């Protein structure tokens, strides 16, 4: 029997609202009223959004033909302990920062080795740029997106050496924005690792000890799914 003890709960999901950042080419979020109290006796909105809108998870089928889809994410994979690697200082100096094994080892020198079965969350501070799409995607004069992420080497280390089962970040992708091959995502998803993107409120989590509850929608055939993510804080 597993026991989770917590003193408070923190929302890690962004509020869905019109005008929020959406990946270029994805359907923009639309919240549109279709029934009103005065006219219909009840209120109802229509939501139009892509699978990767707001805080969301990626499924292997996002990048791989024949990869499993969102409804096949096991329930037990959606409740897991988390560690938070704070790299805000590095990101302030370099928006193209990519988490490397050396950064993880520095974290472990302070907090101990990361046990298997953890969600490893990269706290870059990028959440402060939400909900401004221009600041969030941070396109440079070169036309490329400049935001931080995981290096492929870090993904390989976390998955193969530490047994991480989920990776998350407070940007729109676990890949640095300049990496248009999506190497980190592909490595993680090929190994069955849950990928969680557009997280917020990581400043309210301790480096170790929190438990994530990932309420991913069970979208049939989905390449991913919007998710309500909660953190249970000891």
């Amino acid at each position: 029997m597993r026991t989770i003890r917590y003193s408070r709960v923190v929302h890690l999901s962004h509020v869905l609202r019109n005008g929020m950042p959406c990946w270029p080419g994805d359907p923009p979020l639309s919240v549109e009223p279709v029934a009103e109290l005065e006219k219909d006796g009840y209120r109802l909105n229509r939501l139009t959004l892509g699978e990767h809108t707001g805080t969301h998870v990626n499924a292997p089928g996002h990048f791989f033909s024949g990869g499993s889809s969102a409804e096949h994410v096991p329930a037990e994979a959606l409740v897991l302990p988390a560690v938070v690697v704070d790299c805000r200082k590095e990101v302030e100096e370099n928006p193209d920062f990519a988490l490397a094994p050396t950064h993880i080892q520095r974290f472990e020198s302070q907090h101990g080795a990361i046990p298997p079965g953890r969600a490893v969350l990269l706290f870059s501070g990028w959440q402060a740029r939400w909900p401004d799409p221009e600041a969030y995607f941070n396109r440079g004069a070169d036309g490329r997106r400049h935001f931080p992420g995981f290096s492929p080497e870090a993904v390989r280390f976390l998955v193969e050496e530490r047994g991480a089962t989920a990776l998350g970040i407070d940007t729109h992708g676990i890949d640095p924005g300049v990496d248009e091959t999506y190497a980190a995502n592909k490595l993680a998803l090929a190994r069955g690792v849950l990928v969680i993107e557009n997280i917020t409120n990581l400043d309210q989590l301790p480096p170790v000890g929190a438990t994530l509850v990932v309420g991913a929608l069970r979208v049939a055939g989905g390449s991913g799914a919007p998710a309500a993510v909660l953190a249970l804080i000891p």
Side-chain angles (χ1 to χ4, degrees), residues 10-14 55 127 169-170 198-203:
V10 176
H11 263 300
L12 300 187
S13 296
H14 287 288
T55 306
Q127 63 186 42
I169 195 167
D170 56 352
N198 286 338
I199 299 173
T200 190
N201 291 334
L202 289 179
D203 54 309

Side-chain angles (χ1 to χ4, degrees), residues 37 60 92 152 157 171 197:
L37 279 172
E92 285 179 5
F157 177 82
T171 72
E197 298 172 330

Side-chain angles (χ1 to χ4, degrees), residues 128-162:
R129 294 173 175 246
W130 189 278
D132 181 347
E134 185 174 341
Y136 200 65
F137 289 112
N138 195 35
R139 283 192 181 273
D142 57 1
R144 304 173 76 186
R145 292 175 285 270
H146 295 273
F147 56 77
F150 290 76
S151 70
E153 294 77 16
V155 173
R156 195 172 288 111
F157 177 82
L158 288 167
V159 176
E160 297 178 1
E161 301 295 329
R162 295 295 182 264

Side-chain angles (χ1 to χ4, degrees), residues 215-228:
L217 297 182
R218 302 183 71 190
V219 181
S223 67

